[in-house]
Amino acid sequence: MHKLSMDQLNRVDVNTFKSQEKSPIVIVMDNVRSMHNVGSAFRTADALAVERILLCGITGQPPHREIEKTALGATESVTWEYYKDTLDAINQLKAEGYQVYAIEQTDHSISLETFEPLSDKKYALVFGNEVHGVEEDVIQHADGTLEIPQFGTKHSFNVSVTIGIVLWDLINKLRFVKK
């Protein structure tokens, strides 16, 4: 057993990535303050071929040195847009036919392992601020909320970890699980 080289991994180049089919998922970052978390979102979006990222409110935007530390070039491959107001982004996504889910703990949240995405739908996933989570008015305009089950003392995962968990779960269900 040995680690694969970059050539053996057979990854596509940026131009091929931009034109390839993407997962029908948009990441919405609602006032995420850490540039490292933003960079991590880009890197995860690239790895899982997510359609695009919407950066909202105070969320940092490329080009930025701190974003690049974790994005490692993914800001060049992943399509992104900036919205001053997250609700404007949500309204635009709904107009484009996306089902919008905030990733947040609410009195009506669906536990991630029981959520069954439909293969004929497009999804927008809203990830919130590291301290305050997804803004309440954004939650009220979402089609629902998803929650990751947890078993320890902390009330949440880091937002970059949450993005990885939720995206992998949905993409796994949409691409690999036979219906």
Side-chain angles (χ1 to χ4, degrees):
M1 187 178 325
H2 69 321
K3 193 162 113 174
L4 297 176
S5 70
M6 291 302 282
D7 288 338
Q8 290 172 317
L9 289 173
N10 199 29
R11 298 290 189 243
V12 299
D13 61 32
V14 171
N15 289 331
T16 303
F17 178 85
K18 285 182 177 269
S19 64
Q20 79 183 32
E21 184 178 347
K22 305 288 188 303
S23 297
I25 297 172
V26 174
I27 295 171
V28 179
M29 300 189 80
D30 178 32
N31 293 302
V32 174
R33 62 183 165 81
S34 166
M35 299 298 177
H36 294 264
N37 285 333
V38 175
S40 180
F42 271 93
R43 192 164 167 191
T44 301
D46 176 283
L48 297 175
V50 168
E51 187 179 303
R52 69 188 193 262
I53 296 177
L54 304 185
L55 306 169
C56 303
I58 66 165
T59 306
Q61 305 159 54
H64 193 286
R65 193 175 123 254
E66 294 300 309
I67 292 173
E68 284 306 320
K69 280 184 178 179
T70 48
L72 298 178
T75 57
E76 300 300 318
S77 57
V78 176
T79 300
W80 64 274
E81 300 167 48
Y82 174 75
Y83 285 81
K84 184 176 181 182
D85 187 327
T86 307
L87 285 180
D88 291 341
I90 299 304
N91 290 333
Q92 179 62 42
L93 288 162
K94 284 187 168 199
E96 294 173 16
Y98 286 86
Q99 296 287 303
V100 177
Y101 284 88
I103 312 307
E104 190 59 81
Q105 300 162 349
T106 70
D107 57 351
H108 286 90
S109 50
I110 301 165
S111 191
L112 186 60
E113 82 278 1
T114 65
F115 181 68
E116 292 297 330
L118 302 174
S119 60
D120 63 340
K121 298 286 184 191
K122 301 185 297 186
Y123 294 93
L125 305 171
V126 183
F127 298 91
N129 177 276
E130 293 87 343
V131 175
H132 305 290
V134 176
E135 294 291 332
E136 186 67 39
D137 58 346
V138 173
I139 291 169
Q140 296 307 315
H141 284 85
D143 295 305
T145 53
L146 301 176
E147 177 179 346
I148 301 169
Q150 295 176 199
F151 312 105
T153 63
K154 296 298 168 195
H155 74 280
S156 66
F157 289 101
N158 174 279
V159 66
S160 66
V161 172
T162 300
I163 290 169
I165 291 170
V166 173
L167 284 178
W168 174 249
D169 184 73
L170 262 60
I171 289 169
N172 182 49
K173 289 172 181 173
L174 289 169
R175 287 190 175 198
F176 303 119
V177 176
K178 297 194 188 276
K179 301 286 182 195

